[in-house]
Structure formats: structure tokens, C-alpha cells
Amino acid sequence: HRVDRRQRQMCIRDRFQRHNDLDQEIKNMEDGIVPSSGTNIEVLKKEKLQLKDKLYGLLRAADQGGG
């Protein structure tokens, strides 16, 4: 089960990093640092929200599983 735990931790880490990257990308677009359309920002915000939901589920499962 150690491998399962390690894989879960890597998955959480990767998704958390992607979430943070999206957050910065959205901020840069909203601040006008990076050119974009409102549609692009909305798509990224939806992806970020989906990642947040997945992260929450993974963290809850890890907490309930003791790992």
C-alpha cells in the first residue's frame, strides 16, 4: 500500500501545482499582462474549479484512509 500512497501523493502534488499554475495564468490575463479573451479566462477558471474539486476528493479520501 506504500506505492498506492506515494502515487496518491504525487497525483495530489501534480494537481495542486497545476491549480497554482492556472491561478497565476488567470491572474496574469485579468491584469492584462498576458493577452486573452474573456472566454479564455472562463475556460481556465472552470478547469481550476474542477481541479479544486478533484483535489478536495483526493485529500478527503487520503484523510479517511489514514494516508
Side-chain angles (χ1 to χ4, degrees):
H1 299 296
R2 182 180 208 116
V3 173
D4 293 338
R5 191 169 116 197
R6 177 169 276 160
Q7 287 175 336
R8 185 172 51 239
Q9 288 172 339
M10 288 172 56
C11 184
I12 290 169
R13 184 198 67 215
D14 291 346
R15 288 183 181 180
F16 186 74
Q17 183 61 51
R18 176 65 181 147
H19 181 273
N20 287 341
D21 291 345
L22 281 170
D23 192 49
Q24 187 61 52
E25 191 173 348
I26 291 165
K27 184 178 183 328
N28 288 344
M29 288 178 173
E30 290 177 336
D31 291 347
I33 297 169
V34 175
S36 71
S37 69
T39 304
N40 290 345
I41 293 172
E42 290 307 312
V43 168
L44 292 179
K45 283 183 176 184
K46 286 178 184 176
E47 182 182 346
K48 184 180 156 194
L49 183 58
Q50 289 172 343
L51 275 170
K52 189 175 186 176
D53 289 344
K54 288 177 186 177
L55 277 165
Y56 178 73
L58 286 169
L59 291 170
R60 270 191 69 169
D63 188 48
Q64 291 173 355

